[in-house]
């Protein structure tokens, strides 16, 4: 091939080189940076929330991120994000993992990769106690208005499973809860533990609340990562399965959901691959 012909391929080779650089390896970046950036909500007790004494973000999912960072030999950086920003933050490379009440769904699984499940959440509906006589089942909310966090699986589940429902969405759980208290909606859809906390807090207010007993649906939660980051996903799964095998997952669970906590709950799931 002549030198002149070789020159024709220089721009193409340059583009290929740039493309190769653009596709970074998340695991290598984390180790080079010396830090794992974990995106979390910071407003969802006991999964991730600010400790009122230390002002540090703590919780069940923070403990899991800390275990991953320790395994990788790096420090943990916690970045608080909104529910709607979870996937965009991953796609934009602004966080390495998302541990933020991230329920599995077929649509999300097309956009991001999931770790093994680390929690399984019943999604239920919170209602005003005054309405408990007429709103006894999820089906009784057909044709009514319910609140949910924008971009959440709770919003999607309500649309999918309650006939003719109107979902009124808000940026965070407290504002979705306020809509129920102010009678702007008939129900608030969310994870059982979150709704339980709101129900407990409302006992001292004029508007008492109840939770419809039967779950609207049950969803597994995982840690989210950008698509194709197989090296990072392998290490995250190694940590989660190791915690399960050693019994440390139960210890972490009991720290936040044990009998002496605000959310006494029996663990009825184990760490395993999410079965979509």
């Amino acid at each position: 091939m002549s030198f002149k012909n070789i020159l024709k391929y220089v721009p193409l080779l340059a583009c290929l080189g740039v493309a190769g650089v653009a596709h970074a390896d998340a695991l290598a970046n984390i180790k080079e940076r010396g830090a794992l950036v974990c995106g979390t909500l910071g407003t969802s007790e006991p999964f991730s929330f600010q400790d009122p004494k230390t002002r540090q973000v703590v919780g069940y999912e923070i403990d899991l991120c800390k275990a991953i960072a320790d395994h990788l030999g790096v420090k943990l950086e916690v970045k608080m994000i909104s529910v709607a920003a979870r996937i965009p933050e991953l796609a934009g490379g602004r966080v390495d993992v998302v541990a933020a009440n991230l329920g599995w769904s077929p649509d999300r699984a097309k956009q991001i990769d999931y770790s093994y499940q680390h929690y399984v959440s019943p999604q239920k509906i919170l209602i005003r106690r005054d309405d408990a006589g007429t709103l006894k089942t999820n089906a009784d909310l057909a044709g009514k208005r319910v609140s949910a966090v924008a971009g959440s699986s709770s919003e999607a589940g309500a649309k999918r499973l309650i006939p003719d429902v109107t979902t009124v969405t808000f940026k965070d759980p407290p504002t979705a809860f306020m809509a129920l208290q102010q009678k702007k909606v008939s129900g608030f859809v969310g994870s059982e533990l979150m709704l339980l906390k709101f129900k407990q807090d409302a006992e001292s207010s004029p508007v008492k609340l109840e939770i419809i007993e039967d779950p609207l649906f049950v969803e597994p939660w995982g840690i989210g990562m950008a698509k194709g980051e197989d090296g990072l996903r392998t290490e995250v799964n190694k940590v989660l399965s190791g915690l399960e095998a050693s019994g440390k997952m139960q210890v972490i669970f009991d720290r936040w959901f044990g009998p002496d906590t605000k959310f006494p709950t029996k663990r009825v799931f184990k760490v395993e691959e999410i079965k979509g």
Side-chain angles (χ1 to χ4, degrees):
M1 183 181 295
S2 69
F3 181 72
K4 183 177 180 180
N5 286 336
I6 291 174
L7 288 177
K8 293 192 299 184
Y9 290 92
V10 170
L12 175 60
L13 292 171
C15 289
L16 289 174
V18 171
V21 172
H23 179 70
D25 183 305
L27 183 58
N29 283 349
I30 291 166
K31 292 184 176 181
E32 182 179 355
R33 188 194 309 132
L36 173 75
V37 182
C38 174
T40 194
L41 300 181
T43 56
S44 180
E45 188 179 1
F47 298 99
S48 63
F49 64 103
Q50 277 195 325
D51 184 311
K53 295 180 180 177
T54 66
R55 310 306 297 171
Q56 297 295 310
V57 180
V58 298
Y60 177 72
E61 290 187 305
I62 301 301
D63 283 356
L64 299 182
C65 285
K66 183 66 167 61
I68 296 166
D70 289 346
H71 170 76
L72 296 177
V74 299
K75 66 180 181 179
L76 174 64
E77 291 184 4
V78 175
K79 180 179 181 181
M80 290 197 287
I81 58 178
S82 68
V83 169
R86 291 177 298 185
I87 292 177
E89 287 288 304
L90 272 179
R94 291 179 289 275
V95 297
D96 300 311
V97 298
V98 164
N101 301 32
L102 188 64
W104 184 94
S105 73
D107 287 341
R108 284 184 187 154
K110 294 175 183 177
Q111 303 175 67
I112 62 172
D113 284 337
Y114 279 80
S115 71
Y116 294 159
Q117 67 181 26
H118 65 72
Y119 186 77
V120 174
S121 172
Q123 298 288 305
K124 295 190 173 184
I125 303 179
L126 187 67
I127 60 171
R128 293 181 294 275
R129 189 171 294 170
D130 289 347
D131 294 333
T134 54
L135 301 179
K136 297 179 180 180
T137 69
N138 298 315
D140 292 334
L141 285 146
K144 298 187 182 300
R145 291 160 56 91
V146 300
S147 62
V149 176
S152 68
S153 53
S154 303
E155 176 195 0
K159 289 179 178 178
R160 185 176 74 252
L161 298 169
I162 305 174
D164 301 319
V165 74
T166 298
T167 56
V168 184
T169 59
F170 299 87
K171 66 177 182 178
D172 55 40
T175 48
F177 166 66
M178 189 67 67
L180 176 64
Q181 281 199 313
Q182 295 176 346
K183 299 186 177 183
K184 295 178 180 178
V185 296
S186 297
F188 170 28
V189 186
S191 67
E192 180 181 33
L193 284 180
M194 177 180 68
L195 300 185
L196 178 60
K197 176 68 164 55
F198 282 123
K199 178 180 181 295
Q200 291 170 345
D201 291 346
E203 285 302 311
S204 59
S205 75
V207 183
K208 306 296 192 295
L209 305 168
E210 295 292 343
I211 299 174
I212 294 177
E213 183 175 353
D214 289 337
L216 183 61
F217 64 99
V218 176
E219 66 173 10
W221 290 6
I223 293 173
M225 289 153 281
K227 272 288 185 186
E229 296 294 350
D230 296 338
L232 178 58
R233 184 159 56 93
T234 296
E235 294 304 313
V236 170
N237 285 340
K238 189 184 297 183
V239 172
L240 295 177
S241 58
L243 291 173
E244 182 70 61
S246 67
K248 291 181 180 178
M249 181 62 84
Q250 185 66 52
V251 173
I252 294 173
F253 185 90
D254 288 343
R255 183 178 301 146
W256 303 104
F257 305 100
D260 297 325
T261 69
K262 294 181 183 178
F263 305 95
T265 307
K266 183 178 179 181
R267 188 163 81 105
V268 295
F269 63 89
K270 62 180 180 179
V271 171
E272 61 183 0
E273 186 174 358
I274 294 175
K275 301 175 179 65

